[in-house]
Every structure is written in structure tokens, then in C-alpha cells.
Amino acid sequence: MLEERKNNYIMSIFKSGIYFGISICDISTGEFYSAEIKDNQNFPLLLDEIARYNPSELVINTMMSDSEEEISKIKERFDCYITNYEDKYFDDKLDNLNLRFNITDTNNKKIEDIADKKLAISSINALVQYIEQTQMTSLDHINKITIYQISKYMSLDINARRNLEITEKMRDKSKKGTLLWVLDKTSTSMGGRLLRRWLNDPLIDVTEINKRLNSVKELKNDMILRGDITENLKKVYDIERLAGKMAYGNANARDMITLKNSLQKLPDLKQTLSKCNSVMLTELYNSIDELKDIYELIEKAIIDDPPMTIKDGDIIKLGYDEEIDKLKTATTQGKNWIIDLEAEEREKTGIKNLKVGFNKVFGYYIEVTKSNLSQVPDRYIRKQTLTNAERFITEELKNLENQILGAEEKVVNLEYNAFVQIREEISKNIKRLQISATAVATLDVLTSFAIVAEDLNYCMPIVDNSGIIDIKAGRHPVIEKMLGAGIFVENDTYLDKNENRLSIITGPNMAGKSTYMRQVALITLMAQVGSFVPSQEAHIGVVDKIFTRVGASDDLSMGQSTFMVEMMEVASILKEATQNSLIILDEIGRGTSTYDGLSIAWAVAEYIADKEKCGAKTLFATHYHELTELENQLEGIKNYSIAVKEKGEDIIFLRKIVRGGTDESYGIHVAKLAGVPKQVTQKANEILKNIERKNILTGKQMEKKEKKQVEGQFDMYNYKLAEIAHEIDKINLNELTPIDALNTLVRIKEKMK
Ligand code: ADP
Ligand code: MG
């Protein structure tokens, strides 16, 4: 029971020291990939690769299963079945591996120094044997193994994939409301699967990205071309999986007709592509094999509307096989004999309603109703008694039966054999089928991008290695689609490797901070996948990795709202991000006390801004307004905020990002908008005013330039005072010893620092 538009992967992991060899296979389509992880960030990269394929099962060696900490991290993040497999299967012998399979790199070139790829080979050997053992079948349809370079693709950790809701929603794993949902206008399930894979594998090679983009442009600009292609694609079924079924030997005659009807469209598709100019479409034109021979074979042999089962005949067309034709004529003739016999017996016996019938248990019989039994002659042999009738046979009928059934049985057998032979013949051509299937799927995805670009008014991004992300009037693809055209408020973005590396984004709750940051990540990702993007203009310098971290309290849907998890992820981001990465930090430091949280957020921002330590392009949304101070202190940091307008006691969300920080939280305004009872919001206002007054009384407060007091929040100085007040409050004077008093004073002094 496979989902048509989703691959079903099984993955093997061979751990050797700190390195990994991995192999991934989808048995139903015959795709097989392998890679080695020998970078310095091995385990995080492994997690990225698992996230990329989202396999349903992992087959691992002993060293892997013994690494408890790593296994528990895998289990925490992924919902897949883990099988410990004996080490003897993970061997690095090449044997006939490269005779059996065509082992290539991603450009389809044969790999010369394959013997060096011991990690990959070990994982391939294990996976091949595991599949053979568990599926108990040959792997005929897997003839190509692609060994890919991890660095070919953007690295997206599991959090980024989840947070950006690329292919599934965080909450319910559904497709609706994801980037895939917006971009999927594919016509075939092969295209659907490939699109999902592309979205999971954004590229980093500028040439490859532009190859895709240019073909999308050609398809977008030519409505007629696009129309012709989709019309043909709509009639193409899942050639990839049909091919797999052929090789597996579980394809029936209907599958063959489906395959035939799909292949019938290939010449038209090829013809349509012959007019195209872009590099990638020309390549597709060249790689589509029309498979006319296969089409003709099925057309000649298989009847157009065959039954489900292949064991009861009625599948081979007349004219395909002489022997079958002959026997078929014999059985039709036999049936005529039966009709003649019926007429003859009616005449002979004078029984007008005498019938010759057939059932599977008793074979042919003559049926006479009870009222006519007296007229039955002696030569009739009784076979079966029914309530209203008796059934008989005669010598002559028995003979006919033998002839007819004998011929029928033979035909059924011959048809079955002929069918199996045709299926084997098709299996021999599986590689050609797969190549055409891939070409069709690719064309489908590119066309889908073009359709979406046209329908939703996307633009072609300029993609290069400039390190700049410059988006004019960008939109969030999913929210825009949810809201309907024209409602979403567009925003610009400018990030580079110098003055504009880190944007601190402030603004009240619900202003649109999270939406804005995700929009930038999604536009970057879309551009690197080769899709047009929702903006007026976009200049995207390729990023090597995208990270996202959402503050603990915003991330409840994961069921992991602990501050510890948040900090572990922040730790790994700080370790793994490079100057070429894009980081989205959404309200980090929320899961602890305000004082702690602010300090952590501050230190993290400082660390990232330091070119020596990290220097990644970063969008950092925070409700700690104090962080806006950083702009004055460090190079590369700029303040932005999302504008709101005050209107009397209310606020209006403008959703516009503007230069400069805010110092307004508008928390009470938002509470009011949300329908919190008036008594509560009024009381809150009073409390707020009180707090402010007290703060003013403490004097120090107002030296913070001429800024208004931050509503509902304290600044750094006041945090300290609050902590000290708390400390003093805790003291129980009746029990305080002189030593305790001294210690308390020391603690308070510490806090003043
Ligand atoms: P924040 O993170 O600042 O609390 P969100 O990004 O969650 O705010 O945005 C809150 C809601 O505002 C979103 O669910 C969306 O419906 C709406 N919104 C955000 N940005 C925009 C925009 N640019 N145009 C229109 N609506 C927006
Ligand atoms: Mg938010």
C-alpha cells in the first residue's frame, strides 16, 4: 500500500569510526543512492541525510547500533524502524557489484576509483543483501546505483525542514499548507515524487540551479508549449512503478495496458520538446526514449480491456500467437456444438424447455424441469438434483466437454505463458523505461514550476555566488496563498557578508516577524531548487545550509518544548553554521527566566555576528528590545522592526518591515485585540503604569536615552534590581546567622556587577 506521490525508502548505515557509508533504495521504483560521510561534521550530516529521505526503515551495523547516544538522537527525531544487521553483510568487496549494477556519479558518469569508496560499498552490499533476503526476490529493476556527493546539496537540518514546513505541516504532517502544496502542479505521480525530492534537496551548484531556472523560464514564457506538455503528461501513468512491477513479476495485463497508454504519449512529448532551446529541455529531449518497440509489443499482444487476473485467459489478442488462435477457434466452435446439441436433444426428447448449462463444479449438463422428468430417455445419466429440476449428462455431451475444456485449459496456459514472456521482455528493457520515466518526471516538475510562476506571479531569481540575499517585495508563498491574492503585504530583505549580516527584528506579537523570516528562508530555498520565487525581484547568493530555531514556547507542537532541547539545537547551529549559511532564530531564549533568556540571546547574537567565529547571514527575531543596542556595538548588525500604527487605544498591524528597532511591546493591545475581557486589559494597563511609576522612582531608569519605558518589560538594570529584591525578600531575619548575612551580601554584590 504505497502512497503514489511519495517514495518509500529503506536506508542502510555503515558506521566505521567517525565516518559513515549510507545507501538508500526505493524498491518499488528501483532508485538506489549511496554516499560517504567523511566531513568533519559527520553525525549532523548523517542526520541531514536521514531527514532528506525520511526512510521507513534503517538497516545498521553493530558499530552504529552500539553508539547509544547517536541511536537515541535518531530515534528522537525520526519515526522509522531500526534493524540491526549482521556485520558480515557490510563487507567492502566489490565482487561483481559493478558488473551487476551500473555504478555512477550524479552526472551519470561511471566512477573510476570505485574501490576507494569502501564506506559506500559496505553499505550498498548490506542493503542489496538485506532487500534480497527480506523481499525474496531479484533486484532486476535496480541496475543503476548513484553515488552522490553530500556537498552537492544544501544541508538542511531536521528542524529547518520541519519549521519551514517544506513537505509536511509540523502539526499533523499533512501536505496542505506546505511549500510542496503551493508548488505541486505536477500531472504525474512520478513528477510528484521528484518534486518532493527536489524540495528536500536544494542545490548549491550555481550552474545546475540556473539550468533549471532557464528551462522554467522557457516553459513559463510559452503558454502553448506548456499546454501541450501538460495535456500529454496527464495521460502518462507511473512508468517508474509499472517498470518496477514488471521486473518484480507482479504486473498484470491491466498494468501492461496502462504502461502502453503511457508510452503512447512519449513520441508526442518528445516532438513538443524538439522546439525547445534551453539546455535542460534539450537534454530532456535527448533522453526521452520513445520506446516504440515496447509500445508495439503490448499493442500487438494484449487485449485492450483485460481482466485483473492473468490466470484465466482472455488477455492475448487474436493474431499474436498461432497456437492460441487455433485453440480459441476450437473452443468457440465447441460452444456452437453445444448450442446444436441443445436443439437436437429438445427435438429428440420433445422437452421444449430443456437446457444445456455449465458450471465449474459439474461441468456441462442437461437440465430438465421436474414436470418433464417422465420424458427423459434412458441414455441420460443423472448428475445433480435441484428443487425444481434434475441435471443429466450424456455420452456425447461428456465427449464435447472434454474437447472444449481441454482446449480452454490449454489456451489459458498458453496465454499465461505468452504473457509472462512479454513481461520478461519488457523487464529486459527496464533501464530504458527508467530513463524515460526520469525524463518525464523532470519535465513534469519544471512545467509545474512554470505553471505556478505564471499563476502566482513569481519572478525568476538571479542566482550566483555573491553572498548577497536581496529580495524586493518578497512574499511568503504559503501564507500568501492561504490569504488569497493581493492581501499579503510585501517586504524587502537585504543581507550580505559585510555590513548587513545579522538583522535583529523586533515588533509586537502577531506583527509578522515569524512569517517574514520564514519567507526569506523559503525564497532562498525555492531559488536553489530551481523554482521562481514570490517577489518582484530576487538576487540570491547561494547558501550552503539553512538553520532555523524557534524559541521553546513557540514550538509546542513538537512535544519537545523543553529549554534543554532548544539550547542543544542552538549549540549545534553555532557549531555548524558557516559564513555562507542562513540562520533563522525566532525568539530564542524564551524557555527560561527573562534574565537568563536575554543574556543567552545577547551572547548568541554576538557570537554569530563575529566573522571569526561564525558570520552567517542571520535573521533574529526577539522580544528582548535590549538587543537593539547591539547595532551600535558590533559591525554587521542592523535593526529592523515590523511597523504597527497606534490608533487611539488600538493598534493596527501594518506588516511592513522598517529600519530601526522598536521599544513597544503592545502586549496589552494585542490581548485586547484577541478578545481578553476589558476589565482584565484595563487592570493590566493600571499595573503597567504602576510599574513604570516605580521604575521612574528608582531614578536610574531614565538615563536610557529618551526612550519610553518598555511596556511590560524591564531593561537590564531593572532585571538586576528585581533579582536583588527577590534575594532580599527571601531572607528570614529570625533565622539569619551572621555568616548567612555576609553570604547574602556577597551574592547581592555579585548581582550588581
Ligand atoms: P509574530 O511572529 O510577529 O508574532 P507572525 O509572523 O506569527 O507574527 O504573524 C502573525 C499573523 O499575521 C500570520 O499568521 C499572518 O496571518 C499575518 N501576517 C504576517 N505577515 C503578514 C504579511 N506580510 N501580510 C499579511 N499578513 C501577514
Ligand atoms: Mg512569531
Side-chain angles (χ1 to χ4, degrees):
M1 285 296 134
L2 297 172
E3 210 176 306
E4 263 179 45
R5 290 179 164 264
K6 210 167 160 180
N7 276 100
N8 183 33
Y9 290 118
I10 173 166
M11 180 176 200
S12 68
I13 304 176
F14 172 66
K15 182 177 161 87
S16 170
I18 55 163
Y19 297 151
F20 301 94
I22 56 169
S23 289
I24 308 96
C25 176
D26 179 340
I27 305 162
S28 65
T29 63
E31 291 156 78
F32 201 119
Y33 309 100
S34 184
E36 303 196 320
I37 306 177
K38 286 162 63 169
D39 239 344
N40 44 2
Q41 295 292 348
N42 297 302
F43 187 65
L45 282 175
L46 176 69
L47 291 177
D48 288 355
E49 293 309 300
I50 302 177
R52 189 189 305 284
Y53 294 99
N54 201 5
S56 44
E57 182 171 359
L58 292 179
V59 178
I60 60 174
N61 68 342
T62 312
M63 191 180 284
M64 186 74 236
S65 63
D66 284 348
S67 313
E68 280 169 29
E69 201 179 318
E70 293 182 342
I71 290 291
S72 77
K73 278 190 183 149
I74 291 174
K75 283 190 177 153
E76 222 168 71
R77 287 174 170 76
F78 305 101
D79 176 25
C80 58
Y81 193 76
I82 299 184
T83 305
N84 300 335
Y85 199 41
E86 279 180 73
D87 285 337
K88 68 173 185 208
Y89 296 115
F90 289 85
D91 67 77
D92 58 14
K93 282 199 228 60
L94 259 177
D95 283 346
N96 53 3
L97 204 58
N98 43 354
L99 294 179
R100 231 182 118 184
F101 303 103
N102 182 19
I103 304 182
T104 66
D105 62 16
T106 33
N107 292 322
N108 256 326
K109 291 212 187 70
K110 199 137 192 105
I111 297 182
E112 300 301 337
D113 49 357
I114 180 85
D116 291 348
K117 305 230 178 272
K118 290 199 178 342
L119 295 167
I121 304 283
S122 303
S123 69
I124 294 174
N125 275 328
L127 191 56
V128 166
Q129 291 177 81
Y130 183 75
I131 293 172
E132 277 171 346
Q133 281 174 9
T134 52
Q135 304 290 313
M136 307 225 240
T137 172
S138 71
L139 296 177
D140 284 348
H141 61 310
I142 301 172
N143 38 46
K144 190 176 118 179
I145 296 181
T146 309
I147 299 193
Y148 65 96
Q149 297 287 322
I150 302 271
S151 57
K152 186 176 147 70
Y153 300 113
M154 178 199 281
S155 144
L156 273 169
D157 68 348
I158 184 79
N159 290 307
R161 287 175 203 276
R162 285 196 182 134
N163 268 315
L164 297 175
E165 305 195 306
I166 299 171
T167 59
E168 32 179 66
K169 292 281 284 176
M170 281 218 269
R171 205 159 309 162
D172 54 7
K173 306 225 159 172
S174 61
K175 176 178 163 190
K176 180 153 194 239
T178 63
L179 181 62
L180 177 65
W181 170 70
V182 177
L183 294 182
D184 193 357
K185 290 274 179 265
T186 55
S187 311
T188 69
S189 29
M190 298 178 281
R193 285 197 300 271
L194 187 66
L195 172 60
R196 188 183 278 270
R197 210 168 332 132
W198 279 17
L199 291 179
N200 277 321
D201 294 347
L203 301 170
I204 48 178
D205 185 298
V206 170
T207 323
E208 271 189 72
I209 296 168
N210 280 311
K211 238 167 82 177
R212 288 187 187 173
L213 285 170
N214 283 317
S215 64
V216 174
K217 179 173 152 196
E218 184 170 13
L219 290 163
K220 178 174 181 270
N221 290 344
D222 191 337
M223 201 177 79
I224 295 173
L225 172 69
R226 215 164 58 228
D228 286 350
I229 291 172
T230 35
E231 196 170 310
N232 282 311
L233 283 178
K234 286 217 171 3
K235 298 186 187 107
V236 176
Y237 291 87
D238 201 334
I239 301 178
E240 226 170 7
R241 280 206 175 142
L242 286 168
K245 275 179 131 181
M246 299 287 164
Y248 248 14
N250 59 9
N252 62 27
R254 289 202 185 162
D255 293 326
M256 253 179 220
I257 294 301
T258 316
L259 179 63
K260 181 188 87 175
N261 293 337
S262 305
L263 298 184
Q264 192 180 16
K265 296 289 143 205
L266 294 182
D268 289 346
L269 275 174
K270 195 166 168 109
Q271 175 60 28
T272 315
L273 284 177
S274 67
K275 296 169 241 158
C276 295
N277 300 315
S278 59
V279 177
M280 194 153 175
L281 294 181
T282 315
E283 278 175 10
L284 290 180
Y285 167 79
N286 288 325
S287 62
I288 291 183
D289 180 336
E290 293 171 314
L291 295 156
K292 282 189 176 149
D293 49 333
I294 307 284
Y295 171 81
E296 267 152 28
L297 173 65
I298 304 175
E299 167 64 19
K300 212 170 71 191
I302 309 291
I303 67 165
D304 287 335
D305 188 16
M308 288 290 275
T309 147
I310 51 170
K311 296 235 162 97
D312 292 344
D314 275 339
I315 43 181
I316 301 293
K317 266 188 185 167
L318 274 178
Y320 176 71
D321 181 298
E322 232 176 283
E323 182 79 26
I324 294 176
D325 288 358
K326 244 200 250 162
L327 286 167
K328 272 199 178 162
T329 334
T331 49
T332 356
Q333 239 163 34
K335 281 175 188 152
N336 287 332
W337 295 336
I338 296 282
I339 293 167
D340 290 349
L341 181 128
E342 188 180 64
E344 216 172 276
E345 288 295 326
R346 277 183 191 164
E347 186 130 322
K348 276 190 197 160
T349 58
I351 306 172
K352 294 234 161 43
N353 61 355
L354 174 149
K355 283 199 308 231
V356 177
F358 175 81
N359 78 25
K360 277 205 168 157
V361 183
F362 294 104
Y364 284 98
Y365 54 80
I366 298 171
E367 189 173 295
V368 180
T369 50
K370 286 256 157 87
S371 55
N372 290 316
L373 281 182
S374 57
Q375 283 162 273
V376 168
D378 288 348
R379 62 194 166 82
Y380 276 28
I381 305 155
R382 188 183 313 252
K383 216 173 176 184
Q384 194 190 3
T385 305
L386 309 175
T387 9
N388 294 322
E390 298 270 328
R391 287 175 174 176
F392 304 90
I393 48 159
T394 65
E395 205 62 38
E396 196 189 355
L397 185 57
K398 193 80 209 158
N399 279 337
L400 281 182
E401 181 183 274
N402 284 341
Q403 281 181 47
I404 296 169
L405 294 187
E408 256 174 12
E409 200 176 308
K410 262 196 209 153
V411 171
V412 167
N413 279 335
L414 284 177
E415 286 202 42
Y416 177 75
N417 290 340
F419 177 81
V420 171
Q421 225 174 27
I422 296 165
R423 197 165 61 190
E424 277 166 8
E425 180 60 30
I426 297 176
S427 303
K428 280 190 212 139
N429 289 283
I430 193 123
K431 208 165 163 183
R432 293 170 59 211
L433 283 163
Q434 282 168 343
I435 291 173
S436 280
T438 310
V440 168
T442 310
L443 179 62
D444 197 5
V445 176
L446 294 171
T447 310
S448 178
F449 283 161
I451 295 170
V452 174
E454 180 67 27
D455 290 354
L456 303 180
N457 199 16
Y458 288 2
C459 80
M460 178 164 165
I462 298 167
V463 176
D464 57 20
N465 281 318
S466 60
I468 292 170
I469 292 183
D470 186 4
I471 300 169
K472 297 267 154 50
R475 287 117 57 198
H476 187 299
V478 177
I479 311 266
E480 175 186 48
K481 184 160 170 178
M482 301 261 218
L483 292 178
I487 298 176
F488 193 86
V489 179
E490 302 166 336
N491 273 312
D492 297 348
T493 305
Y494 186 84
L495 292 167
D496 61 23
K497 286 181 138 179
N498 303 310
E499 289 299 300
N500 302 280
R501 289 197 304 274
L502 194 152
S503 304
I504 302 271
I505 302 167
T506 43
N509 254 323
M510 283 297 289
K513 300 181 295 298
S514 303
T515 308
Y516 173 74
M517 294 194 300
R518 279 170 179 73
Q519 147 189 336
V520 174
L522 286 173
I523 288 176
T524 306
L525 185 141
M526 287 167 79
Q528 290 187 224
V529 163
S531 165
F532 281 26
V533 299
S535 68
Q536 228 163 59
E537 282 172 38
H539 182 171
I540 306 293
V542 166
V543 304
D544 62 353
K545 306 172 189 186
I546 295 180
F547 297 95
T548 68
R549 177 58 230 180
V550 177
S553 58
D554 267 12
D555 195 14
L556 291 168
S557 54
M558 295 282 307
Q560 301 190 317
S561 63
T562 63
F563 182 63
M564 179 68 178
V565 173
E566 179 184 334
M567 284 304 111
M568 273 159 50
E569 282 164 15
V570 167
S572 77
I573 293 175
L574 297 185
K575 262 188 269 168
E576 292 162 39
T578 74
Q579 286 202 15
N580 296 316
S581 307
L582 176 64
I583 305 179
I584 306 291
L585 294 174
D586 198 349
E587 313 262 17
I588 61 156
R590 252 199 196 180
T592 180
S593 81
T594 338
Y595 200 175
D596 271 4
L598 170 60
S599 320
I600 289 169
W602 186 291
V604 167
E606 242 180 45
Y607 185 95
I608 293 176
D610 187 339
K611 263 191 183 173
E612 299 290 310
K613 296 190 178 115
C614 178
K617 278 185 273 299
T618 304
L619 298 174
F620 195 138
T622 181
H623 61 288
Y624 297 122
H625 303 261
E626 292 78 3
L627 293 195
T628 52
E629 273 303 311
L630 280 167
E631 183 184 85
N632 305 323
Q633 295 181 13
L634 295 171
E635 183 236 331
I637 298 186
K638 291 278 177 315
N639 290 330
Y640 289 89
S641 54
I642 305 209
V644 291
K645 204 165 94 183
E646 274 181 80
K647 199 177 157 201
E649 286 212 328
D650 293 328
I651 51 164
I652 299 167
F653 294 113
L654 299 178
R655 314 267 184 234
K656 260 302 182 208
I657 188 137
V658 291
R659 242 334 236 118
T662 48
D663 47 12
E664 296 280 353
S665 290
Y666 297 103
I668 297 171
H669 294 84
V670 175
K672 201 174 148 204
L673 272 184
V676 173
K678 207 165 174 191
Q679 297 97 304
V680 177
T681 51
Q682 269 171 358
K683 179 72 184 173
N685 259 323
E686 277 168 34
I687 296 173
L688 180 64
K689 292 218 175 76
N690 261 331
I691 293 172
E692 278 175 354
R693 203 170 328 118
K694 273 190 197 146
N695 285 338
I696 291 165
L697 288 180
T698 63
K700 284 265 190 180
Q701 170 58 29
M702 281 295 111
E703 73 180 42
K704 250 192 101 197
K705 302 192 202 83
E706 63 288 287
K707 274 186 193 168
K708 261 202 273 169
Q709 163 61 27
V710 177
E711 289 181 29
Q713 291 184 15
F714 304 94
D715 69 359
M716 263 299 204
Y717 180 77
N718 278 306
Y719 293 139
K720 293 182 182 178
L721 286 187
E723 294 264 326
I724 291 164
H726 184 61
E727 194 71 44
I728 295 173
D729 200 39
K730 275 197 311 198
I731 300 171
N732 182 347
L733 288 176
N734 296 327
E735 290 173 7
L736 194 72
T737 63
I739 288 283
D740 282 344
L742 211 55
N743 280 335
T744 307
L745 268 182
V746 169
R747 273 207 302 278
I748 288 172
K749 268 285 206 201
E750 271 302 301
K751 290 224 152 77
M752 290 301 291
K753 272 187 195 155

